[in-house]
């Protein structure tokens, strides 16, 4: 049975939301998987922003990790401002444009990354100017994820209906029937009221796929 004919696990499709920080490579992997599932199943995904910078406020972090927080704040502010300017439909294209450069592209030149990404999705170049104007909204969308899943997690957060999990954490991002089987497993797990956690140690880092359109 091909990936395009594998039956959906539920009918109608569940409400699915994903919270991401553009700087997180694990969220990027999960978004590639969920994007493929959405395209194959005709699933609408509500793409939301959470911020590792907000999550780690006041925490004792290793210096190497603490140094990443300004980038997290800048880019989550950017996506939040872009949503205010361009609406919900601009969030995923902007995330794709940023993430393609940051993750498989391995780029660090954020000024250029942001300028190119804004141009790619047709947003005003002035959005590149970092501002706290939308911080209340950013904190609100971040807190929405925490309210569902708790604050002892990171990004990504995926919600099926009103049940949310940290993860799935995957590398490489599954594709085809494997991607759909994983999604059906997440939906099944979300249907069990008492299910909370299933975990094993990671044995590899993010394996970036050059296919970035998912």
């Amino acid at each position: 049975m091909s990936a395009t004919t594998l039956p959906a696990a539920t009918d109608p499709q569940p409400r699915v939301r994903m919270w991401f920080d553009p700087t997180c490579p694990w969220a990027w992997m999960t978004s590639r998987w969920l994007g493929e599932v959405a395209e194959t199943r005709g699933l609408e995904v509500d793409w939301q922003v959470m911020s590792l910078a907000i999550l780690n406020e006041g925490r004792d972090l290793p210096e190497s990790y603490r140094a990443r927080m300004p980038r997290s704040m800048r880019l989550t502010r950017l996506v939040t401002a872009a949503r205010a300017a361009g609406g919900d439909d601009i969030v995923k294209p902007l995330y794709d444009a940023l993430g393609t450069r940051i993750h498989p592209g391995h780029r660090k030149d954020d000024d250029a990354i942001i300028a190119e990404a804004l141009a790619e999705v047709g947003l005003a170049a002035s959005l590149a100017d970092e501002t706290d104007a939308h911080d209340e909204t950013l904190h609100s969308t971040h807190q929405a994820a925490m309210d569902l899943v708790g604050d002892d997690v990171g990004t990504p957060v995926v919600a099926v209906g009103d049940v949310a999990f940290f993860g799935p954490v995957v590398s490489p991002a599954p594709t085809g029937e494997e991607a759909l089987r994983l999604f059906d497993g997440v939906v099944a797990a979300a249907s069990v009221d008492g299910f909370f956690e299933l975990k094993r140690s990671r044995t590899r880092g993010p394996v970036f796929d050059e296919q970035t359109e998912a």
Side-chain angles (χ1 to χ4, degrees), residues 49-153:
V49 180
M50 63 181 292
S51 174
L52 289 171
I54 295 173
L55 181 68
N56 288 293
E57 283 177 349
R59 294 184 179 181
D60 186 16
L61 303 174
E63 181 56 37
S64 60
Y65 193 73
R66 187 183 304 113
R68 295 162 52 186
M69 295 305 101
R71 190 186 206 195
S72 166
M73 198 65 189
R74 182 180 184 185
L75 292 179
T76 53
R77 279 173 164 169
L78 171 68
V79 178
T80 304
R83 170 174 258 141
D88 292 347
D89 289 345
I90 205 65
V91 174
K92 179 61 161 49
L94 180 58
Y95 180 31
D96 291 345
L98 293 167
T100 298
R101 292 165 171 82
I102 293 168
H103 301 299
H106 304 290
R107 289 175 54 183
K108 303 293 185 182
D109 51 333
D110 286 350
D111 288 345
I113 288 169
I114 291 169
E116 292 170 17
L118 289 172
E120 182 176 318
V121 301
L123 287 172
S126 60
L127 288 172
D129 298 331
E130 185 174 3
T131 172
D132 62 2
H134 300 284
D135 278 9
E136 183 176 351
T137 299
L138 174 57
H139 279 80
S140 177
T141 59
H142 174 89
Q143 190 59 46
M146 299 300 97
D147 289 345
L148 286 173
V149 80
D151 61 3
D152 58 344
V153 300

Side-chain angles (χ1 to χ4, degrees), residues 22-72:
T23 68
C24 177
W26 296 106
W28 178 254
M29 304 301 294
T30 302
S31 73
R32 301 307 90 188
W33 157 73
L34 191 55
E36 172 150 335
V37 172
E39 183 176 353
T40 303
R41 287 273 175 86
L43 184 70
E44 294 292 333
V45 178
D46 183 3
W47 301 93
Q48 295 286 333
V49 180
M50 63 181 292
S51 174
L52 289 171
I54 295 173
L55 181 68
N56 288 293
E57 283 177 349
R59 294 184 179 181
D60 186 16
L61 303 174
E63 181 56 37
S64 60
Y65 193 73
R66 187 183 304 113
R68 295 162 52 186
M69 295 305 101
R71 190 186 206 195
S72 166

Side-chain angles (χ1 to χ4, degrees), residues 1-8 36-37 39-41 175-181:
M1 182 178 293
S2 71
T4 56
T5 58
L6 193 68
E36 172 150 335
V37 172
E39 183 176 353
T40 303
R41 287 273 175 86
T175 59
E177 293 188 14
E178 187 177 45
L180 300 181
R181 286 198 304 271

